[in-house]
Amino acid sequence: MAKRKLGIAVVGIGGAVGTTMAAGVELLRQNAIDTTGLPLAGFAELADYTDIEFAGWDLFENDLATAAENHEVLSLKQFAAVQTALGEKRPWPALADTRFLSNIAGTNVISLGKLRDAVEQVRADIREFRAQCDAVCVVNLASTEALTEADNVKFASLVAFEKAIDENAPEISPAMLYAYAAIAEGVPYANFTPSLSADIPALVEFAEKNKVPLAGKDGKTGQTFIKTVLAPALRSRALHIDGWYSTNILGNRDGLALSNDESLASKIRTKSSVLDDMLGYEVEDHLVDIRYYRPRGDNKEAWDNIDISGFLGQRMQIKVNFLCRDSILAAPLAIEIARCLDLARERAEFGIQEQLSVFFKLPMTRDSRPEHAFHTQEKMLLDWLDRR
């Protein structure tokens, strides 16, 4: 593939994941790190990591070096190497609406006085960035919004949704507005969050109309990744899962957002949905719990207790304690999603990109139920990448 500059416009660029993405690409440029953790490093048809540029929106106006220092994901040596480059990048003002995100407030905001005006500002930001790049993708890494039901009549068609924008309908969230703006500008959009965004009928329709690739939702990074590996393996051995208890503690900004019950409900819905679909039966005692625990920062800890039954009805247990680095797991996946969406655009593919299901807890699909088993998802992606 011809060399080209890929711009990734990140919603929440100043967060721990956004700054880790930008720092990682800069360290790759400097040959200071290798591609460990980047699962698609061997595919030459995808945009080169060192040709990626970052920009984006954030509620906080700190330059990316200051933001990265505050998140404490990078080592001191890594931070020193990228401080100058990240210090040159400042976020654009972001959309803010306390009805959807009440416990994280910044001052670097676009007024939501009129939704149409807010959309036009986001579109202008995308156009300005695109003028500096050969192609652009938008990736939503913002904090989880309050749970919103997808069956609202205002989300049912593009005509209804655009009318709702013009009427400043309170049901329309910032995540939906970012997706709408990206699609309107003809650039691919990925929702790495559990928030309701491009996965409403109106925006899927819009993407088909404008021939824009879409992917989402909720990045599958840690505990759910392990669940989608283990559960199919247990099923293949005819071991019955009697109960599965999952709990997480984390202390970064994402964890703070999830300390709000309505935002937490969005997250738990995407994390809880995978198990029954993979197994083909209901796990009655499937419990998922997430807690904000400030001392851990970006060092998330996930515990799983799995109760299983085997031959002769004998009971057994599996216990998993995954001590994660939240942004170290998430940042590479967000980069790979953008590279794949860019390739889809190059191949003139549009609408929901089911082959990217491997990256998400609740993958968007066109007509069928989502596939959750990791090995099957991986094959879908690799088959797509191997096409010429």
Side-chain angles (χ1 to χ4, degrees), residues 269-280:
R269 173 173 289 192
T270 63
K271 287 177 71 70
S272 300
S273 63
V274 303
L275 197 54
D276 295 350
D277 286 345
M278 287 187 292
L279 296 172

Side-chain angles (χ1 to χ4, degrees), residues 250-264:
L250 71 165
N252 57 15
R253 194 184 298 172
D254 187 40
L256 177 59
L258 294 174
S259 66
N260 176 280
D261 288 344
E262 293 182 346
S263 294
L264 180 61

Side-chain angles (χ1 to χ4, degrees), residues 255-320:
L256 177 59
L258 294 174
S259 66
N260 176 280
D261 288 344
E262 293 182 346
S263 294
L264 180 61
S266 294
K267 186 74 171 180
I268 287 179
R269 173 173 289 192
T270 63
K271 287 177 71 70
S272 300
S273 63
V274 303
L275 197 54
D276 295 350
D277 286 345
M278 287 187 292
L279 296 172
Y281 58 86
E282 180 183 358
V283 180
E284 186 175 348
D285 294 293
H286 180 205
L287 304 177
V288 178
D289 185 54
I290 305 171
R291 298 291 171 179
Y292 175 59
Y293 182 57
R294 185 174 56 84
R296 284 300 171 91
D298 201 61
N299 296 318
K300 181 168 71 173
E301 184 166 359
W303 300 310
D304 285 276
N305 177 83
I306 312 162
D307 287 282
I308 62 176
S309 297
F311 193 50
L312 306 181
Q314 296 294 323
R315 303 289 299 275
M316 295 169 277
Q317 291 184 5
I318 301 170
K319 297 184 186 295
V320 181

Side-chain angles (χ1 to χ4, degrees), residues 36 43 63 84 87 96 110 132 169 191 214 220 256 263 302 316 332-333 372 374 377:
T36 299
F43 291 89
D63 64 77
T84 299
I110 300 171
Q132 305 165 29
N191 181 21
L214 295 179
K220 183 164 71 173
L256 177 59
S263 294
M316 295 169 277
L333 302 191
H372 291 292
F374 183 83
Q377 292 177 329

Side-chain angles (χ1 to χ4, degrees), residues 58-62 91-96 104-111:
D58 203 90
L59 297 173
F60 300 92
E61 63 184 359
N62 292 333
W92 306 318
L95 302 174
I104 296 180
T107 58
N108 192 42
V109 300
I110 300 171
S111 169

